[in-house]
Amino acid sequence: PFRPVLTKEKYSLELTHKYRNLLVDSNPFLQLGAVVMTIEEKDGIWVVVMEERLDALEAPKVKDAVKKLAEEGKLKILIDMGKTRFIDSAGCGSLVASLRTIAKNKGDMKISRPSAQVQTLFELTRLHRIFEIFDDVEGAVNSFS
């Protein structure tokens, strides 16, 4: 139901399910728009810029996008969570699954700019011990070299 779309060095995922108008557009709580994340290349690092929520609805899209990057040999991944204000257990699970996919292919995945709420959740779940977490994108990008 999700289709990656390549547009000028950026990827975006669009919801193409036939019931999108009925389920998403008619519900103000689900009005996510077509783009749920953007993926751009920065100095050989693939930066996945997340939107405001990483929940059960968005988690499979993150896993699919990272899996597609890994299949294409793009194994240096940075998850930019600067806009993310909410993450649930499915979102955490998708990050761990994505890290496993990248590590299995001998790559690396890091996280940058988590909000205070997201950072607290990472600490409560001990995910801050699994992921390298950076305060800014530039520091994270530079850490790959």
Side-chain angles (χ1 to χ4, degrees):
F2 304 105
R3 179 184 68 208
V5 178
L6 177 62
T7 57
K8 194 178 179 185
E9 300 301 306
K10 289 187 179 184
Y11 293 91
S12 64
L13 292 179
E14 292 184 4
L15 182 60
T16 58
H17 192 274
K18 64 182 177 180
Y19 298 112
R20 180 187 186 282
N21 291 340
L22 176 65
L23 295 175
V24 176
D25 292 340
S26 63
N27 187 334
F29 295 105
L30 296 177
Q31 288 180 353
L32 305 172
V35 177
V36 296
M37 72 189 82
T38 57
I39 303 173
E40 52 194 38
E41 191 268 342
K42 184 179 248 190
D43 299 329
I45 311 303
W46 293 91
V47 181
V48 179
V49 182
M50 300 301 306
E51 291 300 320
E52 192 169 323
R53 298 179 62 86
L54 181 50
D55 54 18
L57 186 63
E58 305 302 326
K61 301 171 197 173
V62 174
K63 285 187 347 186
D64 290 345
V66 171
K67 182 179 177 185
K68 177 109 172 105
L69 289 171
E71 288 170 354
E72 295 173 0
K74 299 168 181 169
L75 298 172
K76 293 181 180 180
I77 309 290
L78 174 62
I79 307 293
D80 180 5
M81 301 188 81
K83 297 178 188 176
T84 308
R85 299 290 166 246
F86 177 82
I87 184 170
D88 66 6
S89 59
C92 290
S94 72
L95 292 175
V96 171
S98 296
L99 178 62
R100 262 190 261 151
T101 298
I102 294 299
K104 183 173 73 176
N105 289 291
K106 298 182 177 39
D108 198 8
M109 186 174 107
K110 301 177 184 190
I111 294 176
S112 70
R113 303 189 315 149
S115 67
Q117 298 93 330
V118 171
Q119 182 65 35
T120 299
L121 180 66
F122 285 164
E123 291 170 5
L124 288 172
T125 58
R126 304 284 192 245
L127 288 177
H128 70 293
R129 294 180 179 181
I130 296 172
F131 293 105
E132 282 187 74
I133 301 174
F134 295 85
D135 291 332
D136 59 43
V137 173
E138 290 304 316
V141 168
N142 292 335
S143 75
F144 280 96
S145 45

